[in-house]
Amino acid sequence: MRKIGLLAAGVAALGMALGQANVIKIATQSPLSGPQAALGEQIKLGAELAIEEAKAKFKALGFDLVLVPYDDQANPDVGVANANRIINDPDILGVVGHLNSGVAIPSSEVYARVNLVMVSPANTNPRVTDRKLPNVNRICGRDDVQGPVGAEYAFNNLKVKNVFVIHDKTAYGQGLAEEFKKRLEALGGKAVAFVGTEETSNFVPIINQIRAARPVPELIYFGGIYSQIGPFVKQLRERGVKTRLMGGDGLDASEFVRLAGKENAAGTFYTTVAGPVSAFPKAKAVAQRFKQKYGKDMEGFGIYAYDSANVILAALEAAIKAAGGKKPTREQVAQAVRQVKMEGLTGTIEFDDKGDNKKAKYFVMQVASTGNWADNKLIRVIEMAAPGAK
Amino acid sequence: MLEQILALLPQVIFDGLILGFVYAMVALGYTMVYGVLELINFAHSEIFMIGAVVGVEVFRYLAPHVGNGFLLLLLALILGGVVAGITAILVERFAYRPLRKRGTTNRLVPLITAIGVSFILQDLVRLIEGLWHNEFFLRMRTVEDLEGSVSLLGGAIFAQTKSFILMGVSILMLVGLTYLVNRTKLGVAIRAVAQDLPTASLMGIDPDRIISRTFLIGGSLGGVAGVLFALQYTTITPYVGFLPGIKAFTAAVLGGIGNIPGAMLGGLVLGQLENFFGTYLPILTNGNFGTEYKDVVAFLILIFILLVRPQGLLGQVVKEKV
């Protein structure tokens, strides 16, 4: 027992010794393997690009800037285990991540133990910031605004009154669908049905309900992820149901077209919190550098990750100056992040007292008939403030 | 409300029938292995999944070269059946036979092995597909010939060509299997081993060989079911076998486990129950219970049936073996 204690103390001492005075690390956490890796990789590469570009500036301040990517596998357990490793590396002063709210929420509680700041490019669940943790921030929008944005577009612009609402029973999908339904009914529309399903292959019972629903639904709203909505749409259209379809940012993936089939996916509406490159004129040059460096197109989450990393870098710079050129503490960095006011690629970034961006952008998109995700039509950009804490 | 229910009823029954045939085909595999070894082979749901994955891959690679959709499907069915059958043999050879040889009498040990094997197969397929295509959601290719559909009963039923194929193949499988078990030498041997393994081996039957063949037959039936499932519902993941597997196992128990026509009947009953409640629950409960409760209600009814008739619909009360 005593030997183990000694060993632990030794390892801890080693850890301290390894904390170097002139190295500052920034971590990313996102899924880099598994089905959501395509989205997670954008987060890693977006942050990496921002850090590469800031290296020279920090060298002048006397610091080596390093990116340390972690793979959370879209799994809360893995995310928390990584978070524990991250807080034990004293050089890590900021985290860009995560992709999934379900992973971000427990992981951010680990970061909170040491006041390590997290800036999220992608987590939309209201609870991420509603817990009022001083270290948790996001620059993207929230589901309790995204759902209503969809409802308002459907009611006011598509002139739709009766909507068949489906959700996937997860915190994300059901939350989104509930917010959609609430606003739709406040506007004077009607949710013909509100149905949850965990089904991934046989959607026939729901399709039959849609066919039998009275009044006839003019729109189907599905709060869920592309992996479920894709096969659903395929079966729906195969059965000759032509009702229009809308979803949230869970649909914002080119995989949707592959699973649903090009002709079935065309025309689907979706709202998203991470707009495409075409929505941000300022992102064009960065997207070119991204493509040159990584040989891949920069997508929405890449842009948001680039901005998230820049928020942390701006805060770091301010904190270094405030500390008289010395390496700041994690707490100082977290406080500095809340003070940041900057113009990012995605617009003005400034946090309220919960860590939400004071004004986030929401996008209404429509899937193109070409099957190429980059061709999707940007219909509308809505800028809206986050609601006050409940 | 009643009007709504009646308008949809033909369609609901038809769709339930298709789902029921899927469960029935998978249930055959459970029931055969149980009949011979009294082992619940939980890895059978992964054998089914492997069949589905092979089907997807055959369509992916051969569709551009084989013009005829039906020929393509036939190839997929054969390959899916063969690969799944071989996997089943390997599972038996390396996971169950060593336990049997060691004379493990505890029933729980092979059961736990089966659960473990099922996890191994899931992650193995995930690994292979991940390295090969970097894909998690495998999509069945669309082939023109198989995409047709017709309206029956004046538009009350929407039926797809592939649904009829699915029904036809599963009926063929049941008939073929019944013939094989009751009329052939192999069938006699299988029944003999099922009846009494030690005695059968004294009569010149090699029980290992018969057990191996039982796994081959059950596995290839599961694989064929997987290919048809992929064709019908289009998107496949390495974890797609789990729920149909559990339901098919339930169907086997409902029909009377070890009983081949019983498995078929159990599957059909379960398919109808699930589809019926999936469609009508929100209508019947005025929106208070959604489709998400379909399995709960279907299983409640199954539990009730088994309380009334514990041996299953077509099962016989198990007698002491003589």
Side-chain angles (χ1 to χ4, degrees):
Chain A
M1 219 36 228
R2 220 171 108 205
K3 253 187 192 162
I4 294 175
L6 269 177
L7 196 67
V11 169
L14 194 69
M16 303 271 188
L18 283 176
Q20 292 151 315
N22 58 344
V23 173
I24 292 178
K25 292 182 188 165
I26 292 177
T28 63
Q29 266 228 77
S30 57
L32 300 176
S33 58
Q36 299 180 29
L39 297 176
E41 194 190 29
Q42 284 282 328
I43 292 181
K44 181 197 140 193
L45 296 180
E48 189 177 316
L49 188 64
I51 283 163
E52 291 289 326
E53 289 176 3
K55 268 191 171 158
K57 195 199 242 175
F58 277 82
K59 194 83 205 166
L61 291 169
F63 293 99
D64 285 326
L65 210 52
V66 180
L67 174 96
V68 274
Y70 285 82
D71 179 6
D72 67 24
Q73 296 173 20
N75 178 339
D77 299 341
V78 180
V80 168
N82 287 342
N84 279 312
R85 283 161 59 204
I86 287 174
I87 63 170
N88 281 324
D89 182 343
D91 289 332
I92 297 180
L93 296 185
V95 181
V96 175
H98 298 227
L99 175 68
N100 311 80
S101 294
V103 186
I105 291 171
S107 304
S108 60
E109 275 157 18
V110 178
Y111 310 140
R113 292 211 296 262
V114 295
N115 293 311
L116 177 61
V117 74
M118 170 186 128
V119 178
S120 166
N123 300 128
T124 53
N125 191 295
R127 247 173 65 77
V128 172
T129 51
D130 279 355
R131 297 167 300 162
K132 289 192 170 176
L133 292 176
N135 65 319
V136 176
N137 311 277
R138 68 172 137 207
I139 62 170
C140 59
R142 300 160 51 107
D143 288 340
D144 50 358
V145 182
Q146 192 192 165
V149 162
E152 290 196 7
Y153 184 77
F155 189 83
N156 294 328
N157 299 82
L158 298 178
K159 307 285 176 207
V160 157
K161 281 209 168 53
N162 299 308
V163 183
F164 197 99
V165 184
I166 310 171
H167 63 80
D168 64 0
K169 294 174 76 178
T170 66
Y172 163 73
Q174 186 165 356
L176 192 62
E178 270 166 8
E179 299 293 345
F180 175 91
K181 178 176 176 237
K182 231 186 275 170
R183 181 62 63 95
L184 181 78
E185 286 174 344
L187 289 169
K190 184 176 184 245
V192 183
F194 190 76
V195 174
T197 180
E198 283 168 333
E199 188 63 60
T200 50
S201 41
N202 175 19
F203 293 99
V204 165
I206 289 185
I207 294 169
N208 283 339
Q209 282 172 45
I210 293 170
R211 290 168 64 194
R214 298 291 177 273
V216 177
E218 298 140 298
L219 180 80
I220 300 165
Y221 188 86
F222 201 140
I225 305 280
Y226 62 87
S227 56
Q228 202 183 14
I229 309 177
F232 165 75
V233 173
K234 185 163 174 19
Q235 289 173 31
L236 184 77
R237 299 292 185 237
E238 270 177 2
R239 296 189 158 236
V241 182
K242 296 208 165 60
T243 315
R244 285 184 286 191
L245 189 94
M246 186 186 254
D249 58 333
L251 266 187
D252 193 1
S254 50
E255 275 279 289
F256 171 62
V257 174
R258 192 176 70 84
L259 295 176
K262 204 162 75 178
E263 57 291 346
N264 300 327
T268 302
F269 295 96
Y270 63 94
T271 55
T272 180
V273 294
V277 176
S278 59
F280 307 111
K282 281 202 275 177
K284 212 175 151 195
V286 179
Q288 266 167 7
R289 292 204 293 274
F290 188 98
K291 175 101 187 179
Q292 255 170 17
K293 202 164 160 62
Y294 306 114
K296 284 183 177 154
D297 285 320
M298 194 178 202
E299 288 172 11
F301 288 127
I303 301 170
Y304 277 75
Y306 180 86
D307 270 5
S308 300
N310 273 326
V311 167
I312 295 178
L313 293 171
L316 265 175
E317 209 185 325
I320 290 170
K321 280 182 183 145
K326 284 209 293 279
K327 192 170 169 180
T329 63
R330 283 169 168 170
E331 197 159 5
Q332 284 165 340
V333 179
Q335 281 165 359
V337 164
R338 285 285 162 93
Q339 307 302 320
V340 164
K341 180 170 183 182
M342 61 175 268
E343 283 299 317
L345 302 180
T346 58
T348 310
I349 298 171
E350 197 183 356
F351 297 107
D352 65 10
D353 58 341
K354 301 199 304 287
D356 276 320
N357 197 352
K358 276 191 181 160
K359 272 204 164 167
K361 287 193 172 78
Y362 300 85
F363 306 84
V364 180
M365 307 279 299
Q366 190 173 22
V367 178
S369 54
T370 55
N372 188 352
W373 203 247
D375 294 346
N376 288 355
K377 201 164 90 190
L378 174 63
I379 296 182
R380 170 163 306 219
V381 184
I382 298 163
E383 209 165 6
M384 227 189 265
K390 282 164 199 163
Chain B
M1 188 172 94
L2 192 67
E3 197 187 333
Q4 254 182 318
I5 292 180
L6 285 180
L8 273 181
L9 197 59
Q11 181 74 60
V12 169
I13 292 174
F14 183 79
D15 291 332
L17 203 61
I18 296 164
L19 189 63
F21 275 119
V22 172
Y23 292 158
M25 282 185 281
V26 183
L28 290 176
Y30 277 105
T31 229
M32 279 190 73
V33 169
Y34 186 87
V36 172
L37 284 183
E38 294 192 8
L39 160 72
I40 297 162
N41 178 20
F42 271 120
H44 189 63
S45 51
E46 270 53 57
I47 305 285
F48 161 80
M49 176 272 291
I50 286 172
V53 169
V54 170
V56 170
E57 293 300 344
V58 168
F59 271 69
R60 186 203 301 264
Y61 285 103
L62 296 185
H65 307 295
V66 181
N68 187 323
F70 292 94
L71 182 63
L72 185 64
L73 179 63
L74 188 67
L75 283 172
L77 288 175
I78 292 172
L79 271 169
V82 168
V83 174
I86 292 174
T87 315
I89 291 183
L90 291 177
V91 167
E92 192 275 327
R93 176 69 189 78
F94 292 107
Y96 303 142
R97 191 180 297 179
L99 292 175
R100 207 167 59 239
K101 292 279 175 245
R102 200 168 295 176
T104 310
T105 47
N106 190 337
R107 288 277 185 81
L108 286 176
V109 174
L111 179 74
I112 292 163
T113 308
I115 294 173
V117 167
S118 116
F119 284 129
I120 291 170
L121 291 177
Q122 282 174 1
D123 277 338
L124 201 64
V125 171
R126 192 187 63 142
L127 180 73
I128 294 170
E129 286 295 336
L131 292 176
W132 193 6
H133 302 298
N134 194 18
E135 270 179 25
F136 183 81
F137 299 98
L138 305 169
R139 180 176 169 237
M140 193 77 170
R141 228 167 206 282
T142 305
V143 181
E144 287 282 313
D145 303 7
L146 304 173
E147 285 300 312
S149 58
V150 285
S151 278
L152 302 176
L153 298 181
I157 294 180
F158 168 89
Q160 291 166 293
T161 311
K162 49 195 188 187
S163 314
F164 292 116
I165 297 173
L166 192 148
M167 282 192 233
V169 173
S170 48
I171 291 171
L172 266 179
M173 274 166 42
L174 174 75
V175 173
L177 189 63
T178 311
Y179 176 82
L180 182 116
V181 170
N182 290 325
R183 297 286 146 99
T184 63
K185 215 170 154 188
L186 177 62
V188 174
I190 289 175
R191 280 184 290 144
V193 173
Q195 176 73 29
D196 190 340
L197 196 144
T199 314
S201 61
L202 293 177
M203 301 298 162
I205 295 173
D206 177 358
D208 283 345
R209 216 161 118 184
I210 297 304
I211 289 168
S212 210
R213 292 205 177 154
T214 309
F215 271 83
L216 173 70
I217 295 164
S220 21
L221 295 182
V224 168
V227 176
L228 293 168
F229 182 85
L231 185 72
Q232 186 72 24
Y233 300 116
T234 64
T235 304
I236 298 299
T237 73
Y239 306 104
V240 81
F242 179 71
L243 270 181
I246 293 280
K247 285 173 183 165
F249 167 64
T250 314
V253 174
L254 177 70
I257 196 152
N259 183 310
I260 288 168
M264 202 80 181
L265 180 69
L268 291 176
V269 171
L270 190 59
Q272 286 298 346
L273 281 178
E274 185 183 328
N275 213 44
F276 186 87
F277 287 108
T279 309
Y280 288 138
L281 257 183
I283 301 174
L284 289 173
T285 61
N286 210 2
N288 288 319
F289 289 96
T291 302
E292 62 261 49
Y293 293 100
K294 66 174 184 199
D295 293 338
V296 177
V297 177
F299 276 89
L300 279 177
I301 292 179
L302 288 180
I303 292 170
F304 177 74
I305 295 177
L306 291 176
L307 278 176
V308 181
R309 204 177 149 77
Q311 70 273 37
L313 295 175
L314 299 186
Q316 291 151 349
V317 182
V318 181
K319 285 169 281 192
E320 252 332 281
K321 279 180 180 171
V322 224

